[in-house]
Structure formats: C-alpha cells, structure tokens
Amino acid sequence: MELRGVCCVLLTCLFYTSSADKDFFTSIGQMTDLLYTEKDLVTSLKDYIRAEEDKLEQVKKWAEKLDVLSATATQDPEGFLGHPVNAFKLMKRLNTEWGELESLVLKDMSDGFISNLTIQRQYFPNDDDQTGAAKALMRLQDTYRLDTHTISSGELPGDPMTVEDCFELGKIAYSDADYYHTELWMEQALKQLDGGEESTVDMVTILDYLSYSIYQQGELERALDYTKRLLKLDSAHQRANGNLKYFEYQLAKQNKVEAEESQKEKEKREREKREASDKKGRPADYLPERRKYEQLCRGEGIKMTPRRQSRMFCRYSDNNHHPLYVLGPVKQEDEWDRPRIIRYHDILSNSEIEKVKELAKPRLRRATISNPITGVLETAHYRISKSAWLTAYEDPVVDKINQRIEDITGLNVKTAEELQDWSTDEPDAFKELGTGNRIATWLIYMSDVPSGGATVFTDVGAAVWPKKGSAVFWYNLFASGEGDYSTRHAACPVLVGNKWVSNKWMHERGQEFRRRCTLNESE
C-alpha cells in the first residue's frame, strides 16, 4: 500500500489451531515450546528420583552392614568389646559415622528440581489459558457434533481423557453457567467411574454438579433421580437433602398443573418442550447463520445441481498469454460458480512455505476484531487465529510471491493492505489509505489439515477445503464497485492438526485498466 510516502506491499500470514502474551490455547507454536519445557522438567524429575534412590541405597547398605555387625556384637558384648579395635570402631561410629548418616538423610536432593521448576513456572499457562482451551474444545464439540465419548476415548487422534479431565471440563462449563456442557461432561465422568476407572474425584461430587445442571435446564425428574442416587451414597449430604425436598415439591406442583390442562394446552406445552429440546445447548445469541456455518464446517453444504456442476472445469491457465505462463501454465480449478471461486494448484513450493512460516512465527499475534460500539481492537473468544504481516522488502521470497499473485490475477498488488476482508458497514473505512475498497481476495493454504479448517461462504453454501500449496481467489466487489455480499466467509475451527494460510487483499485503486468498471452487478 502507499501510505505517507512509503510503499509497503504486505502479505498476511495467519495461523489457526485446534487446541492463549499468554494466549496459549490459540497457538500450537507456543504450546510446542511448553511440550519441550515439560520434557525438560520430566528429565529433571528423573534426575531427582535417581539422586533420592542413590541416597537411599547408601543408607540401605549402611543399615545392612550395621545389622550384621550388631547381631554379632550382641551375642557376646563383653567378648566383642574386649578387642580394642572393636571398642575403637564403636566409639568412631557413634561419634562420627552416625552424624554423617544423619547429614545424608537430611540432605535435600530436590534443590535442583525445585530450582528448575521455579524458573520454568513463569512460562506456564494460567487459569485463563486452561479455561480458553476447555472452551475451544467445547466449541469443536458443538461445531462438529462430537459426543463426549468420542473425544474422551481418544477416537480422535490424541490421548484418552480421565475422569478428572472430564470433571474439569464440566467444572469450567459450570463456572460459566453453561449447564448444557456441564451435564455432558459430568455424565461422561460418571460413565467412566461406573465403568471401573479409578479416580481422585468421588461420585458424590459429580452427581451434585450433574443434578443441579440438569435442574437448571428444566428437567426436574432427571435432576431428582440423580439427587436420590447421590443420597444413597451420602445420606447426610446437606445440599442434596434440601434439593430433594425442593425438586419433589416443584415436580408435584408441575404434575398438578399438567393434570388440569386442556388438550390444547397440553399440545402447546409439548410443542414448547420440543422447541426447547431443539435449542438445547445453543447460546442465547445463536443466529440462523451460525447454524448454517456449522453445517458447512461439517461438510453438510448445499450440493450443486448436475447442470451447475457440469459447468465447473479444471484447466491450464496462462492468464491471457502472460509470458511467464505460456510454456508453464498454472493449474486452475473451479470451486464455485456464483460467486466465482477459483483454486490455483501448486502455487507455493514447500521451501517457499517454510520460509514464509520462518518469517512469520516470531511475530505471530492474536487476531483482533473491531468492537462495534467503541471501535477499539480487541480479541474475541470465537476468533483465535494468530496473524503476522510480511512486507515485500523483508525477503526476496515475499516479493516473489507478491509478483506471482499479480501475474496470475492480473491485478495490481501495490495497493494491497493489511486489514482483513472488504468493508460492508463502513464505506469510508479505507479513506485514509486512498486505495478504495477491497476488490479481491487471494488466499494461500500453506498446510494440509487432517480434519476441519474449511473456508465457508454461508450466503451461498460453499465450502473450500485446505490443500497445501494451493490458493483460492475471488472478487469481493462486482465490476460496478458494489459489494458482493455472497462472498462473506468464515474459517471453520481446526478439529485435528493446524492450519497456515496467507492472505492478500487487493484494492480498487490501481485496477482501473485491469478490471474495468461496469454497471452490471452480475459481472
């Protein structure tokens, strides 16, 4: 972009992860560092254990030697002490050697381990990080409709979860008044306990959380059943005894009202119950668009008709006989027709991808959004990607990629800028830049994603899946300059793996003779 006399062509590098400066839960990079930190601590802990074992071995040998000696000496004490060497050695042992043994026993072998732990603890995640990681897991659970058993059993690549793990997730949900997820994870903890898994968490505590979270969701009978089960284990549980009386009273009251209802009222109540069941687990601000977004993330998108599909092609493109691509055209594939979304294959080599990652990693920062009320940039729980901005003059690879984008798209990249997406509510958002609105988006996938991570277009039902080295391209504006709302898009959370992308946003200014303006919004 051209700003205050400085020409600065930027490439945006974004990083998404499944799993939070302490935003550990948003960063595979930082969590990788934590893995090595933990490995170092385990090594230090093993060193401490070996030191303790060596110390105990010395004490053991000393005790065994004295056991044999004292057994012999006490058989004939006078005869034993009649030998002057034996008398001397007894004095020596009691005066010197037992003191040395005392010093050995009192010696603290943990100093090295404790010192290392104290140093490393400053880099540990905090309560907010743990809560963020838990909420991210629950978001994945909702988006991809995963049951707790699938997650807990390790059916997804990863370690199985213990009763304590499930209980902790339920507690975090409970502290956020999220009784839906409290119920799910407390039930999973209970199932694992019932299945014979040993745990430091007792069943009474789990049942206490479970019955209350179910009550909060309006299911009195189930809440009462779990309360009765709790009281069979601990009949003196004060809160459960109070809840038992209250639940029984409320249930009797509810049954009385239902018995006096007319048929029409019963049908209305049943309908409201079904609607409440359908909405169970959804936050209060749940919008229809989110439902569509989650469906697309799961691969439940709109299927093209055979007629539309027949118009989608793969081809070799030389961008109107561009000299660089006449002999080596790029591979082009139609991903969607309206809006037209094109994928270009093999755009970046592995070495170029690694160089971009190398440049971006040290400066990755949590992505922010603009607060619609204050205008202040802030983080949001639903946007946990990290981003970095790379300028063309930083490395020849970045300059080379920028030039490649210009050659393939035919658009001028010198007015590209660092903000994301085109502006729908603020027509003067880029007035200061003097570059016009964002005309087009070029999105490079720099990693394959084992599961999740699609780019979805909720207005039209399109989903584009990551493929390493490829890039997708679309226009955000019609040729008339009006915004194309069908290009509104969002990134799905990564379920397994991590996702690297690079974005390039081209602006209107500089494209006057490259993409001519028309009044036809279909172009």
Side-chain angles (χ1 to χ4, degrees), residues 82-233:
H83 197 295
V85 173
N86 290 343
F88 165 73
K89 292 185 73 171
L90 174 63
M91 297 300 106
K92 176 176 173 289
R93 282 198 303 276
L94 292 173
N95 184 53
T96 305
E97 293 180 12
W98 276 98
E100 292 173 352
L101 179 64
E102 180 183 20
S103 297
L104 176 62
V105 171
L106 292 175
K107 185 177 180 181
D108 190 350
M109 311 303 291
S110 68
D111 285 350
F113 170 68
I114 294 299
S115 176
N116 192 16
L117 182 61
T118 302
I119 292 169
Q120 300 291 4
R121 186 176 280 121
Q122 63 183 312
Y123 305 112
F124 281 15
N126 56 26
D127 289 345
D128 289 341
D129 297 319
Q130 183 174 330
T131 299
K135 289 182 177 179
L137 182 55
M138 288 184 270
R139 181 189 175 210
L140 290 171
Q141 181 182 3
D142 293 345
T143 300
Y144 295 105
R145 289 186 175 174
L146 303 172
D147 60 78
T148 51
H149 175 75
T150 298
I151 299 172
S152 179
S153 64
E155 289 181 27
L156 288 175
D159 291 335
M161 296 175 68
T162 63
V163 170
E164 287 85 353
D165 295 331
C166 298
F167 177 73
E168 189 62 33
L169 276 173
K171 271 180 60 181
I172 288 171
Y174 181 86
S175 66
D176 209 32
D178 178 1
Y179 301 113
Y180 170 71
H181 286 105
T182 303
E183 176 192 347
L184 292 181
W185 286 104
M186 290 300 174
E187 277 193 331
Q188 182 60 37
L190 187 62
K191 285 177 186 175
Q192 292 179 210
L193 271 183
D194 287 340
E197 183 179 322
E198 294 184 0
S199 172
T200 56
V201 182
D202 63 277
M203 193 174 288
V204 168
T205 304
I206 292 173
L207 287 167
D208 194 16
Y209 276 101
L210 189 52
S211 62
Y212 186 75
S213 63
I214 290 172
Y215 158 71
Q216 283 289 346
Q217 296 176 85
E219 298 184 61
L220 275 170
E221 290 186 32
R222 288 184 62 221
L224 184 59
D225 288 343
Y226 279 118
T227 302
K228 288 178 178 177
R229 183 176 173 183
L230 187 160
L231 287 170
K232 284 182 180 178
L233 299 172

Side-chain angles (χ1 to χ4, degrees), residues 69 184 242 250 267 347 436:
L69 183 63
L184 292 181
Q250 289 293 333
E267 290 173 358
I347 290 302

Side-chain angles (χ1 to χ4, degrees), residues 265-372:
E265 288 172 328
K266 285 181 180 178
E267 290 173 358
K268 181 184 177 183
R269 178 172 50 78
E270 288 299 321
R271 187 169 59 252
E272 289 174 347
K273 190 180 290 186
R274 285 194 300 270
E275 290 174 356
S277 178
D278 290 341
K279 293 178 180 177
K280 189 175 180 180
R282 295 180 185 174
D285 59 352
Y286 192 92
L287 299 173
E289 190 174 40
R290 176 170 168 181
R291 181 182 180 185
K292 195 169 185 180
Y293 160 78
E294 291 178 347
Q295 287 176 330
L296 289 170
C297 290
R298 294 191 295 268
E300 302 169 6
I302 296 171
K303 304 301 179 185
M304 280 191 181
T305 62
R307 185 176 179 182
R308 286 177 67 186
Q309 189 66 46
S310 68
R311 297 170 183 166
M312 309 292 285
F313 297 100
C314 294
R315 65 186 71 81
Y316 285 103
S317 172
D318 60 11
N319 190 25
N320 294 323
H321 307 295
H322 190 287
L324 285 175
Y325 300 108
V326 170
L327 295 178
V330 292
K331 289 178 276 188
Q332 193 183 81
E333 178 184 0
D334 294 331
E335 285 280 353
W336 204 255
D337 55 353
R338 296 187 300 270
R340 192 180 184 207
I341 304 170
I342 301 171
R343 188 191 295 268
Y344 292 90
H345 293 274
D346 303 325
I347 290 302
L348 291 192
S349 66
N350 285 334
S351 61
E352 289 173 324
I353 288 172
E354 292 309 312
K355 173 52 73 172
V356 172
K357 286 183 180 180
E358 179 189 323
L359 294 169
K361 279 179 181 177
R363 62 184 80 175
L364 284 172
R365 296 293 180 269
R366 178 86 176 269
T368 57
I369 63 163
S370 176
N371 186 302

